[in-house]
Amino acid sequence: MTYETRRLLELLAASDDGCTEALLMAHGFALELIDSIEFAGLATAKAERMFAAARAVDVTRVRITDAGRRALAER
């Protein structure tokens, strides 16, 4: 597991409701890394609709899976 992968999983593990892709990218994570942990089964991504300033905004929320938590615990 790379340093960036571990850092991403730790951030997701610390969040009860996961993080949006936009927030993860603001933390400096590449979209390719986010996609790779989802493909590996370490996280899930789900499209959601949020409301901000009375406007509907579509976002993708990323959450860590049990497999992702186990991968963190093994290291």
Side-chain angles (χ1 to χ4, degrees):
M1 178 182 307
T2 67
Y3 170 76
E4 284 297 299
T5 302
R6 181 170 191 75
R7 191 169 75 90
L8 174 54
L9 289 174
E10 286 173 347
L11 181 63
L12 292 174
S15 175
D16 291 334
D17 200 29
C19 299
T20 64
E21 280 185 344
L23 180 64
L24 294 174
M25 292 172 63
H27 276 274
F29 296 108
L31 192 55
E32 292 81 13
L33 176 60
I34 299 167
D35 289 342
S36 72
I37 66 164
E38 182 186 359
F39 183 74
L42 302 176
T44 60
K46 181 181 174 188
E48 296 181 357
R49 179 161 288 168
M50 296 178 64
F51 291 90
R55 298 178 79 181
V57 180
D58 293 325
V59 299
T60 302
R61 183 166 304 278
V62 181
R63 292 179 176 92
I64 193 167
T65 62
D66 290 338
R69 290 185 194 282
R70 284 192 302 271
L72 275 177
E74 290 175 1
R75 303 287 170 165

